Amino acid sequence: MGAALRRIQVGNALGAFGSGFTVPFLFVYVARVRELGSGTAGAVLAVFALSALVVLPFIGRVIDRRGPMPVGLAGAFVASAGALGFGLSSSAGAVMASSALMGGGIAVIHPALATMIVWCSTHTSRSRAFATQFFLNNLGLGVGGLLGGLMVDEHRPGTFTLLFVVEATMFLVLAGVLATTRLPRVSRVVHSGDNPTASAPEPAATGGGGWRTLARDRAMVLLCVLGFVMFFACYGQFESGLSAYAVEVTRISTSTLGIALAANTATIVVAQFVVLRWVEGRRRSRVIALVGLVWTVAWVAAGVSGLVAGSHVVATALLISTYALFGLGESMLSPTVAPLVADLAPRPMVGRYNSALALVKQCALALGPAVGGLMAAAGVYGAYIAMLVGCSLGITALALWLGRRLTPVQDNPLVRLPEPAVAEGREAEVSPVSGAEVAGARGELTSVV
């Protein structure tokens, strides 16, 4: 990686580390430490998600017009103010406002960082760049959550204040790292059609024309639908339906559930670059289709863990395997989905395409826990597992359908395309000259001299 991309990756890891410090403890902090009740804590989490849904439809246009750097810096400062406000707030109104600031700031940072990575990479190195970002992001979240859990004490509010101060500081450090990063003056985005060196006509980068262009891009629309199903069936279930299923049906303890979550992160950290080597050079649509099959096996394992709950060791092993298989699938997605978005995006719309995927993800993360929580509350766990097995198989079907709409270079950036016919013709005119004829010509020239 170049110097700019290294700085962006370091900043991303620091931001993730700060988020891991606090986000897992928001509910406990608001409900118990500040004694504002479970209702207020739930509203705080809802505001956190809603603020992202509010800003994401607009932030892509700003990134495309002003560039990702000022947007990333603004997001880091806003998120820092929100984190510091959390640590100092003691009333419901104050924590709501802090939640809106932090949620909106973090939502702004993600597409800005993604666009910076696109600018600083090429279509052949982009998969490795996004895989590295995903690896560092999970590593930062995992280490931050582990250290945060060791530091906090529910009976000592000052320990939580310290966590939020650390998070606010990490966002400021992220801003400092980005401020010292020199992005290329022109992004390296190339619209990857049949000819990877040819650029597509550039649509209007301002106003509603850009969004209309995106809506007419059938491959991108299909990728957004696919992304929604993926995020709904995986990330949207971790903290709601799957956790409830693990405790209520499989009957594992909350501490064992923590081990399962750790297995997910550990799988990503250990397998990411092994998986990356396997993914590089393969068709992206086929890799995403395989993720659907892996997650199908994961949900079947979760279902079986509930059927054999009487055998505690087997049930626990199956459930931990479920989380580990999700991690394996995530490792396969990180070098495929985000780089594919960049390769689909026309040059002046990279920020908008990244924001569109982030918006789809946020919608899935808002709807997924709601659906999972309602089905868990109703006790319809069989229907819950069947629904998610169907979603996983749907991922495979949608990915194969998407593959038919992608050009060879979009589906596999390392594919070797045949040379243009004109070049072949010129080669044919030169190639009949043999080595003997060249030597004879040189001999004649020597005799003349």
Side-chain angles (χ1 to χ4, degrees):
M1 295 184 294
L5 189 53
R6 282 198 299 270
R7 286 179 177 272
I8 294 168
Q9 299 286 26
V10 169
N12 172 72
L14 292 173
F17 176 78
S19 296
F21 246 67
T22 60
V23 173
F25 311 107
L26 288 180
F27 189 93
V28 173
Y29 173 73
V30 175
R32 298 182 183 179
V33 178
R34 293 302 183 186
E35 298 180 346
L36 297 174
S38 299
T40 302
V44 164
L45 295 179
V47 168
F48 190 89
L50 183 61
S51 61
L53 293 176
V54 170
V55 301
L56 283 173
F58 307 101
I59 204 64
R61 180 188 302 176
V62 180
I63 292 174
D64 290 330
R65 294 182 65 181
R66 303 296 182 187
M69 182 61 72
V71 175
L73 291 174
F77 285 124
V78 171
S80 178
L84 186 60
F86 257 120
L88 302 176
S89 300
S90 58
S91 65
V95 294
M96 291 285 189
S98 299
S99 180
L101 285 175
M102 191 163 77
I106 292 175
V108 167
I109 290 171
H110 287 166
L113 285 175
T115 305
M116 290 182 199
I117 291 174
V118 172
W119 277 31
C120 296
S121 60
T122 65
H123 78 284
T124 55
S125 65
R126 204 158 286 144
S127 294
R128 185 168 293 272
F130 276 103
T132 302
Q133 183 202 31
F134 187 71
F135 167 81
L136 292 175
N137 191 58
N138 278 274
L139 186 61
L141 288 172
V143 174
L146 177 62
L147 294 179
L150 294 175
M151 290 173 59
V152 294
D153 184 349
E154 188 177 329
H155 304 290
R156 296 168 56 201
T159 59
F160 283 86
T161 301
L162 177 61
L163 288 190
F164 287 109
V165 170
V166 170
E167 181 180 27
T169 303
M170 287 296 101
F171 282 124
L172 292 178
V173 173
L174 167 61
V177 171
L178 294 182
T180 60
T181 301
R182 299 182 62 181
L183 295 179
R185 293 183 179 180
V186 180
S187 72
R188 300 181 185 177
V189 181
V190 174
H191 189 84
S192 52
D194 290 332
N195 184 355
T197 62
S199 298
E202 298 185 359
T206 60
W211 285 113
R212 286 194 294 270
T213 299
L214 191 152
R216 290 195 298 267
D217 188 341
R218 294 185 178 182
M220 182 60 189
V221 171
L222 183 55
L223 180 59
C224 286
V225 174
L226 174 60
F228 180 86
V229 178
M230 288 190 299
F231 296 130
F232 176 88
C234 180
Y235 300 102
Q237 306 305 320
F238 273 8
E239 298 175 0
S240 58
L242 183 55
S243 298
Y245 183 90
V247 174
E248 298 294 332
V249 181
T250 308
R251 299 191 181 282
I252 67 171
S253 64
T254 52
S255 60
T256 305
L257 181 59
I259 294 173
L261 288 167
N264 174 264
T265 303
T267 301
I268 294 171
V269 171
V270 171
Q272 181 62 85
F273 292 104
V274 176
V275 170
L276 177 62
R277 288 188 177 184
W278 178 81
V279 167
E280 286 183 322
R282 285 177 167 79
R283 294 177 61 179
R284 289 164 169 168
S285 59
R286 300 291 177 87
V287 173
I288 298 172
L290 182 59
V291 171
L293 297 179
V294 171
W295 285 357
T296 299
V297 174
W299 282 114
V300 170
V304 174
S305 73
L307 297 177
V308 297
S311 178
H312 185 69
V313 174
V314 175
T316 301
L318 284 170
L319 196 74
I320 292 176
S321 299
T322 297
Y323 279 89
L325 287 170
F326 279 131
L328 179 62
E330 292 172 72
S331 299
M332 296 165 67
L333 289 178
S334 61
T336 52
V337 175
L340 179 55
V341 172
D343 285 349
L344 287 173
R347 187 173 295 143
M349 290 186 60
V350 178
R352 218 163 303 189
Y353 270 57
N354 281 325
S355 296
L357 185 67
L359 179 61
V360 166
K361 179 178 181 179
Q362 197 63 38
C363 290
L365 293 182
L367 186 61
V371 173
L374 288 174
M375 296 184 77
V380 288
Y381 290 108
Y384 174 74
I385 295 295
M387 175 189 71
L388 292 166
V389 167
C391 286
S392 300
L393 293 174
I395 291 170
T396 299
L398 287 170
L400 295 177
W401 186 13
L402 175 64
R404 299 175 184 174
R405 294 191 173 276
L406 300 177
T407 65
V409 175
Q410 289 170 343
D411 207 11
N412 181 4
L414 301 184
V415 68
R416 289 189 175 183
L417 296 175
E419 295 293 331
V422 174
E424 290 176 359
R426 289 174 182 172
E427 247 185 315
E429 293 174 5
V430 178
S431 58
V433 181
S434 66
E437 292 171 327
V438 172
R442 286 176 179 171
E444 292 174 0
L445 179 62
T446 302
S447 62
V448 170
V449 173

